[in-house]
């Protein structure tokens, strides 16, 4: 089980690192690369057509601006693709990235997370893998339980501070 994390440029790495980190926490191997839909189209085609042959289970693709990377990967790969819209320096407050990834034509699905939402992309990738891998599923269940525990503890601290 391996998740490929690709991005349009190295300026996307600070955002995409969130997916890398959470997948590492979940003990899921990652393959990370820069694949520009506009500047390295041959690399994009090779990556998209062959990821499943290299043992990749899910692809997370992050891009800013015109954000064609996730959709182009999804158009060629048989694997699930999760798109991360990245608010970049050349974007229209991130909306161009969100809409480019979100508004895919029928037959070319891209699961889209929130603007700069790479952590959720990593969690979703793990959940997809966990649907058929009990070890990963157990890790996800424990993670969700830890989220619940943190909220309960925070609520108790707030209540105690009010007394």
């Amino acid at each position: 089980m391996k998740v490929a994390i690709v991005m349009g440029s190295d300026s996307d790495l600070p955002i995409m690192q969130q997916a890398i980190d959470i997948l590492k926490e979940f003990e899921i191997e990652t393959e990370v690369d820069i694949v520009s839909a506009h500047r390295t189209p041959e690399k994009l085609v090779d990556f998209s057509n062959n990821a499943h042959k290299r043992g990749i289970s899910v692809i997370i693709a992050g891009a800013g601006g015109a954000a064609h990377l996730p959709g182009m990967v999804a158009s060629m790969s048989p694997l699930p693709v999760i798109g991360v819209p990245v608010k970049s320096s050349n974007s229209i407050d991130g909306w161009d990235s969100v809409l480019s990834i979100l508004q895919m034509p029928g037959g070319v699905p891209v699961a889209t997370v929130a603007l700069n939402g790479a952590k959720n992309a990593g969690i979703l990738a793990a959940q997809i893998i966990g649907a058929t891998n009990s070890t990963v599923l157990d890790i996800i269940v424990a993670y969700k339980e830890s989220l619940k525990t943190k909220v309960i503890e925070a609520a108790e601290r707030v209540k105690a501070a009010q007394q």
Side-chain angles (χ1 to χ4, degrees):
M1 74 193 151
K2 190 187 311 183
V3 174
I5 300 172
V6 293
M7 61 207 83
S9 77
D10 61 348
S11 64
D12 300 329
L13 184 57
I15 298 300
M16 300 307 288
Q17 188 66 46
Q18 299 168 23
I20 298 165
D21 292 345
I22 195 73
L23 289 165
K24 185 179 289 187
E25 183 180 326
F26 294 157
E27 301 173 20
I28 295 173
E29 185 180 353
T30 59
E31 171 187 294
V32 181
D33 203 355
I34 295 172
V35 180
S36 172
H38 303 111
R39 293 168 290 214
T40 59
E42 297 86 0
K43 184 176 182 179
L44 167 69
V45 170
D46 181 62
F47 169 81
S48 302
N49 287 331
N50 295 303
H52 67 286
K53 297 173 187 172
R54 292 193 320 279
I56 301 297
S57 301
V58 181
I59 298 169
I60 299 173
H68 291 124
L69 180 62
M72 290 303 298
V73 170
S75 75
M76 293 179 268
S77 178
L79 298 174
V81 176
I82 303 168
V84 179
V86 175
K87 184 177 179 181
S88 61
S89 61
N90 67 336
S91 75
I92 306 167
D93 212 28
W95 281 106
D96 46 349
S97 304
V98 170
L99 294 174
S100 292
I101 298 170
L102 187 65
Q103 293 296 111
M104 293 301 300
V108 187
V110 175
T112 308
V113 295
L115 185 64
N116 293 344
K119 182 176 182 178
N120 274 352
I123 294 167
L124 180 56
Q127 289 176 310
I128 291 168
I129 292 169
T132 57
N133 182 307
S134 62
T135 301
V136 173
L137 183 62
D138 290 344
I139 292 169
I140 294 293
V141 168
Y143 175 76
K144 297 272 185 168
E145 191 62 33
S146 76
L147 294 177
K148 181 172 93 175
T149 300
K150 287 177 187 175
V151 170
I152 291 169
E153 290 171 353
E156 289 171 359
R157 282 192 306 275
V158 167
K159 286 179 183 179
Q162 301 304 311
Q163 295 176 350

